[in-house]
Amino acid sequence: MDAAFLGRMKKIRFLAANFSRLQGLRAIPIGLLLFCVSYWANRQTGPATDLWIPLLLGLLGLILAVVIEQYYRRTFGRMIAPESARINELILSTAAAVTALAAFLIETRFDLPFSPVGLVFAIIFAIETLRMSRYLHNWYTSLMLIQALLTGFVSVLPALGLDWLWSGLGIKADLLGICMAVGLTLVINGFISHWFFVKNLPKEA
């Protein structure tokens, strides 16, 4: 087998193993909702009187998620993972959600020199990077690693004495800054991931 053939096989295995993860448009509603709700919260100066705004944003995000899901199913079909893989995915997703909730509760109750929520996001991004790069390491997995490292860095800005960067941007709390930054990276990475997915799909003969 020549190197070109092996390279194509590795690419196919990478795409097959990460078929759903590379459909990055799915992350965009989550990223937009996270950014917009955090931005809304940052603008509050007292008791919130416009709670209809995050509710409306949540509804719009849900509609957008449904539209994107239908687009992927109609355009690219579905790949059914083995039952064991689906169970592992469910366990990991549940563990991530519980950990993120615990981190949020800790961050809102204690004054810490770092952001537990941000570190949880950084760990999740790092784990996803490792899972995606099992079969092939490429520029996209490198980009995901950079995303994880940057998220971890902004999560420890207070410990580094750099928390003034948030206030300099008009952001009132580290947690809001972290959520806005993560939301923005999810949107950007979502577009890049979708482009990478479409560009690298095998062409029909």
Side-chain angles (χ1 to χ4, degrees):
M1 296 184 186
D2 58 21
F5 177 78
L6 290 175
R8 288 194 298 271
M9 291 301 298
K10 286 183 178 180
K11 180 185 290 187
I12 292 172
R13 290 187 68 187
F14 177 82
L15 291 170
N18 300 293
F19 187 78
S20 296
R21 294 190 189 96
L22 287 171
Q23 295 177 358
L25 297 184
R26 286 181 168 141
I28 290 178
I30 300 173
L32 287 174
L33 184 62
L34 190 59
F35 179 87
C36 292
V37 171
S38 300
Y39 180 79
W40 167 84
N42 190 65
R43 292 179 59 87
Q44 301 303 306
T45 56
T49 58
D50 51 356
L51 290 175
W52 63 270
I53 292 180
L55 293 175
L56 177 61
L57 290 172
L59 178 60
L60 292 176
L62 179 60
I63 294 173
L64 181 59
V66 171
V67 171
I68 290 173
E69 180 67 24
Q70 291 302 314
Y71 159 74
Y72 275 124
R73 288 194 181 189
R74 288 197 308 267
T75 308
F76 304 104
R78 297 179 63 190
M79 181 173 288
I80 306 298
E83 184 177 358
S84 59
R86 295 199 300 271
I87 293 175
N88 289 337
E89 194 71 31
L90 177 61
I91 293 173
L92 288 173
S93 299
T94 303
V98 171
T99 305
L101 177 60
F104 176 79
L105 294 175
I106 292 172
E107 184 150 352
T108 54
R109 283 164 172 73
F110 301 98
D111 185 17
L112 301 172
F114 59 89
S115 170
V117 171
L119 291 178
V120 168
F121 274 119
I123 292 170
I124 291 173
F125 291 154
I127 291 174
E128 282 298 294
T129 302
L130 292 174
R131 295 177 70 193
M132 291 188 70
S133 57
R134 283 177 299 172
Y135 300 111
L136 181 66
H137 180 77
N138 50 41
W139 66 265
Y140 179 71
T141 56
S142 298
L143 181 65
M144 288 192 64
L145 179 59
I146 293 172
Q147 180 186 28
L149 293 174
L150 287 177
T151 304
F153 174 71
V154 298
S155 300
V156 297
L157 286 181
L160 300 175
L162 298 174
D163 48 333
W164 54 267
L165 289 173
W166 293 129
S167 58
L169 293 172
I171 298 174
K172 300 174 183 177
D174 295 345
L175 177 59
L176 296 176
I178 290 290
C179 290
M180 292 171 69
V182 169
L184 189 60
T185 61
L186 285 175
V187 172
I188 295 173
N189 187 65
F191 281 114
I192 295 175
S193 176
H194 175 75
W195 175 82
F196 179 89
F197 175 70
V198 173
K199 182 176 182 294
N200 287 277
L201 281 177
K203 303 296 188 295
E204 294 183 2

